[in-house]
Amino acid sequence: MTRYQTIASLFAFATTAFALQTLPGLAFSSEAQQMCTGDAMRLCSSEIPDIPRIRACMVRNKANVSPGCRAVMDREAAAAAAARKREATAQ
């Protein structure tokens, strides 16, 4: 691997890690970041650094992500749906 490829790979990894943890409404937990960063790099690197596009890409490619990442995505989606339901009933 050339020096340029190494730097580009590290930049892409850092950007993905940052994207997966910023903006609370779009963020993944630290567990999701740990479990899904490799999948995000493999499946959605073309979407970096656009956070909403990375998230949409991950959801679109859910069938292709690792089992650990899929489990975290399912758990976080269920928690978000429950939170929305609580907010709706509170209003």
Side-chain angles (χ1 to χ4, degrees):
M1 187 176 273
T2 68
R3 182 176 180 187
Y4 174 75
Q5 289 172 320
T6 302
I7 291 170
S9 295
L10 289 173
F11 177 75
F13 177 78
T15 303
T16 301
F18 175 75
L20 292 176
Q21 69 182 358
T22 56
L23 296 178
L26 299 171
F28 288 104
S29 66
S30 60
E31 179 187 14
Q33 181 182 348
Q34 181 181 14
M35 297 300 289
C36 298
T37 298
D39 293 314
M41 293 294 295
R42 179 174 52 88
L43 298 167
C44 304
S45 61
S46 63
E47 310 301 335
I48 296 170
D50 191 321
I51 297 166
R53 287 178 59 186
I54 294 169
R55 183 160 182 81
C57 175
M58 290 295 287
V59 170
R60 209 173 37 249
N61 286 290
K62 188 174 178 180
N64 300 317
V65 301
S66 64
C69 180
R70 188 176 310 116
V72 172
M73 289 175 71
D74 289 342
R75 201 167 39 246
E76 290 190 357
R84 284 191 302 273
K85 186 175 180 181
R86 280 192 306 274
E87 287 179 13
T89 58
Q91 292 178 352

